[in-house]
Amino acid sequence: MDDSLPALCEIIHGLGERLPRRDTVALIQSVLLKQMILLVHRLQKAAILHNNQYISVKHVLYVLKDHKVTIIRILSYYYLKDIILKLSKISKLGSIEELEKRKKGKKSQLQGLLKDDMVDNITNVEDESLKLDPAAALAAIDFTTKDPSSPSPTSTNVKCIFSKLRNTIAELKLSINITEDEVKKANEARLMRVNDISILLSASGYEGFEMCRRKSFHGRLGDKLLIQVQDVLPWDITINSQVKDILMFLAKETINCLIDRVFVIRNCHDICDETNKKIIKKTKYRSILVHEITAVTSQFWKIPLSKIHNPYKEDDTFFNEQLIFDS
């Protein structure tokens, strides 16, 4: 068995598949690889179109410009990461202040530790994050203007991805008019699914489920996926750390979209009746089968999965297929 399957199985479970089957996980792995090949191919084409040598965040947004829901999810994810980073700086500041109280005689030395940019970040956190919930704060951002406090435009620091996304949206003049309701609805069904699964699981099962929810492609699993993608494409692909980070998010998003569509096709209600747990387990949250995944992929790809295989040529008809993302 592929040594990636157990890790992938954990991710799939964390996204709301109660009892992943080995054959279904293997198929999802195959679909994911094809999706990432298609995505990276589109990114490389976008880079060529813009006369750029390397793939950047600009090309990611250009390729996804018609997938508004997916862009909202990307922005929500990196906005929350940005908030966490800023809050961690506040925490560090608090530690410094405690130390300052203990060492009154060394006040001037401690003040030297406080950089101007940290103070700016704290002000931003108070304005954008602590007074508003994340959905409202994200919807309040003007994506037609660049972030005045953002780092250098050439920075590829993964800690600055949200600022990079915001500035690139403004640069490309993309029409991203996000409402608070759209931000909440983008993940509403997923949150309800997580809540349902949490109710159905035992205490030990819930603990394992929460651990799986934190699993991602950021790490060895994602590195292996990108190597597989690069091995089959007709070009040498160069990406920076920010693009890689976003691609890892989109890998997990691909699986999330597959699972979302399965539940839509099943036409199940999104409310879990706690008095009928056995029925819910056997109907709505029964294991996802292979044919359910192929039913989803057939909505996006005209070519049957069995006909999509290596090697890929530059003019391969598969590259004309749709990306499995929400619009």
Side-chain angles (χ1 to χ4, degrees):
M1 184 175 70
D2 188 331
D3 61 358
S4 298
L5 285 183
L8 186 60
C9 184
E10 291 179 341
I11 290 176
I12 293 170
H13 177 54
L15 294 177
E17 164 59 315
R18 193 172 64 88
L19 294 171
R21 291 168 53 99
R22 182 180 297 184
D23 56 348
T24 306
V25 173
L27 180 61
I28 290 175
Q29 182 185 47
S30 175
V31 172
L32 174 62
L33 178 58
K34 292 174 174 63
Q35 162 92 335
M36 297 306 289
I37 290 169
L38 179 58
L39 174 59
V40 173
H41 180 274
R42 294 273 173 85
L43 294 177
Q44 182 68 11
K45 283 287 190 180
I48 294 171
L49 179 66
H50 288 89
N51 296 316
N52 298 133
Q53 189 174 1
Y54 307 118
I55 295 172
S56 68
V57 172
K58 175 173 69 175
H59 308 123
V60 175
L61 287 169
Y62 179 81
V63 168
L64 297 177
K65 63 182 184 295
D66 295 325
H67 298 274
K68 184 176 182 180
V69 175
T70 302
I71 289 179
I72 288 174
R73 288 171 181 154
I74 292 172
L75 291 173
S76 298
Y77 174 76
Y78 286 105
Y79 181 65
L80 287 174
K81 288 191 72 173
D82 196 49
I83 289 175
I84 292 170
L85 177 63
K86 291 173 180 177
L87 289 176
S88 69
K89 289 183 177 181
I90 288 180
S91 178
K92 290 179 182 178
L93 175 61
S95 299
I96 292 174
E97 288 177 340
E98 286 297 318
L99 186 60
E100 186 176 10
K101 290 178 182 179
R102 296 174 189 173
K103 300 182 179 180
K104 294 180 180 179
K106 297 183 179 181
K107 185 175 181 180
S108 59
Q109 294 179 17
L110 288 168
Q111 286 177 337
L113 297 174
L114 301 178
K115 298 180 180 179
D116 291 339
D117 61 339
M118 181 180 289
V119 175
D120 290 339
N121 280 329
I122 292 166
T123 304
N124 289 338
V125 170
E126 290 175 347
D127 292 342
E128 299 175 7
S129 310
L130 301 182
K131 294 181 181 179
L132 295 172
D133 69 87
L138 182 61
I141 294 174
D142 181 5
F143 286 99
T144 63
T145 61
K146 294 186 177 183
D147 182 359
S149 62
S150 62
S152 167
T154 59
S155 173
T156 58
N157 191 331
V158 294
K159 294 181 180 180
C160 308
I161 292 179
F162 180 76
S163 290
K164 186 71 172 183
L165 287 165
R166 175 181 172 177
N167 293 345
T168 305
I169 289 171
E171 178 187 336
L172 292 175
K173 297 181 179 179
L174 297 180
S175 180
I176 306 292
N177 300 314
I178 300 174
T179 66
E180 183 178 347
D181 190 50
E182 285 177 320
V183 176
K184 291 179 178 179
K185 283 186 176 180
N187 291 299
E188 188 176 49
R190 295 176 179 182
L191 292 173
M192 293 184 73
R193 186 164 69 232
V194 167
N195 182 62
D196 287 357
I197 295 293
S198 300
I199 293 171
L200 296 174
L201 293 172
S202 63
S204 59
Y206 175 76
E207 184 178 351
F209 177 60
E210 284 299 308
M211 290 179 63
C212 288
R213 287 189 65 199
R214 293 191 287 271
K215 301 288 184 178
S216 74
F217 286 89
H218 295 88
R220 191 175 68 86
L221 185 63
D223 291 340
K224 183 176 180 179
L225 177 61
L226 283 183
I227 290 172
Q228 290 176 308
V229 170
Q230 292 176 327
D231 283 347
V232 300
L233 284 174
W235 310 295
D236 290 328
I237 307 296
T238 303
I239 59 175
N240 61 39
S241 56
Q242 290 181 333
V243 173
K244 179 182 177 181
D245 201 274
I246 296 172
L247 285 176
M248 297 302 92
F249 170 84
L250 289 172
K252 190 171 181 178
E253 176 64 18
T254 296
I255 300 174
N256 232 333
C257 286
L258 287 172
I259 295 174
D260 289 344
R261 296 275 174 160
V262 166
F263 283 100
V264 169
I265 292 173
R266 285 181 178 180
N267 196 27
C268 296
H269 295 293
D270 288 329
I271 300 175
C272 178
D273 183 354
E274 293 184 53
T275 62
N276 294 315
K277 289 184 180 181
K278 290 183 179 180
I279 296 176
I280 294 296
K281 285 181 181 180
K282 291 180 179 180
T283 55
K284 183 176 181 179
Y285 292 109
R286 64 185 185 274
S287 294
I288 295 175
L289 303 177
V290 164
H291 76 85
E292 292 183 291
I293 297 298
T294 55
V296 173
T297 58
S298 64
Q299 295 177 350
F300 295 88
W301 299 342
K302 297 177 182 178
I303 306 173
L305 288 176
S306 59
K307 301 293 184 181
I308 306 172
H309 50 74
N310 298 342
Y312 294 92
K313 299 179 181 179
E314 190 170 342
D315 59 349
D316 199 299
T317 54
F318 172 61
F319 295 137
N320 297 323
E321 299 289 4
Q322 299 179 57
L323 290 166
I324 304 176
F325 290 131
D326 292 324
S327 300

